Amino acid sequence: MAAPWRDVVRDAAAVREAAAVAVDAALLAGVLMRTGEQPHASDVVNYAPFTLLPSAVPRALFEQAYAVQQDFNLLVDAISQNKEFLEQTLASTIKVDDFTAQLFRIYMQVLEEGLAQTVFLGINRSDYMFDCGLDGTAALRQIEINTIAASFGGLTSRTADVHRLVLKVLGKTEEASHLLPNNPAKGLALGIAKAWELYGSQRAVVMFLVEEIQRNIFDQRCVENELWNRNIRVIRKRFRDVFEQGSLDAGRRLYVDGQEVAVVYYREGYVPQNYDQQNWEARLLLERSRAVKCPDIATQLAGTKKVQQELSRPGTLEKLLPSRPEAVARIRATFAGLYSLDEGEEGDRMAATAIADPDRFVLKPQREGGGNNLYGEELRQVLEKIKDSPERTSYILMDKIKPQPALNYLLRAHSPLQVSECISELGIFGVYVRQGQELVLNQAAGHLLRTKAIEHADGGVAAGVAVLDTPYLV
Ligand code: ADP
Ligand code: MG
């Protein structure tokens, strides 16, 4: 891939000056996070980590990622309504993975009772890397699609301005003018506002379901403020608050702390550590309610790694999106090789292949949030240990994507300024709203570029590995 900043990247004095400007610009623009030391208050904050320079992204792949986003929205929405598919696909997983099993139990319970919810809101982010082929050409490969709590749509709305300034300081005024505007926070708020409106009660609120520790609160505030701008009231509650203050009326309207809730926007609830017994009860209460959940539990299940693997089987996309061959082709063109490790001949064969050649693959459990996947020697050891046990079924296997690294500086509070070999991951936000069977909104809502040093195999921004970036199209 092109390296547009080759001339400045090694100029130590210019880089130091630009980095100082960049950090102040990030603070001014609101690219902020609470600190690890004081995660519960905003008295002391710092900038969220970001790259000094925007990273090169091939224009054709960037456009391809945008062009397929509405298709992915349709696909996720279709999966969420297909009980048979979810049941069949997750049958083996829920035997061995307690977390997925618990989500699935709630899903079945809610279906049995009958859905009170009639308006559906999806906010997802489809993530990609640029796989470098032997001939040097790059291909767009989906890493995963996040259907719950996809973050950084707020902070990333502000990084392009910072990078524009940095490029000017470095004498790249013409290049600075090419950085694209980007405002996912606005797009996400548009979807939430539409769902709120269709719910149909002026006095009802939007509830952000948030974590106990809220270091990334400013990212969420960006979306919140967009809603306040539209005169929609927003409250922030934890599962624990819902457990203590939540109730349903006879029409299964949701009330929390005396306020009717039109939309529940989850920024929590995607990993087992988010739940104790009370939190599971709160989750069930929310799912049973008439409120629009973003996502509802079916859509969360649609985002599991097991579903992703099943989608890559020949014929599956065609069944889920009948009469949409073009969407199916666009979606399939982004898939990397994905393999089941279920018990049986196919799983045996793939386990043996990965043990023999671990660097070709990534081993993924049914988890979100970064830092869970296994690579290389560790992958080999774990697979060797579990290859003859049912535990194998809780993982999937994926071809490892190998992007071309580029030099950049990762700006992090209290870290020395040093050049790193980096790779990037592009995310496209998708938003859709369905009322009954009618899709009333289906859009791509902006992008997120995250970049990390190549020595880290895994991990996102919140995990402290990747940093925020801006694409520079080449
Ligand atoms: P999570 O749900 O934890 O975010 P991901 O599937 O996104 O799980 O994987 C986490 C990180 O691991 C990604 O951000 C990426 O850096 C790396 N990764 C995941 N899949 C692959 C792959 N197939 N090839 C190379 N790196 C990968
Ligand atoms: Mg991810």
Side-chain angles (χ1 to χ4, degrees), residues 125 127 129 142-146 303 305 308 336-338 360-362 364-365 367-373 375 398-403 423 425 450 452 456-460 465-466:
R125 200 189 67 221
D127 290 337
M129 282 179 162
Q142 186 182 49
I143 296 296
E144 63 158 347
I145 188 155
N146 303 280
K305 308 269 188 294
Q308 181 187 7
L338 288 145
R360 253 186 66 200
F361 299 99
V362 181
K364 299 191 175 189
R367 291 292 171 271
E368 301 294 326
N372 304 298
N373 300 335
Y375 305 81
M398 182 174 185
D399 281 345
K400 187 164 165 187
I401 307 307
K402 299 186 172 151
I423 54 175
E425 186 168 345
R450 292 173 299 167
K452 66 181 183 186
H456 297 286
D458 211 298
V465 171

Side-chain angles (χ1 to χ4, degrees), residues 84 140 175 220 227 274 351 356 390 412 415 440 446-447 455:
E84 195 190 353
L140 188 74
E175 289 86 343
Q220 299 165 7
L227 292 166
N274 295 156
R412 244 191 214 104
S415 296
V440 292
H447 56 269
E455 51 269 27

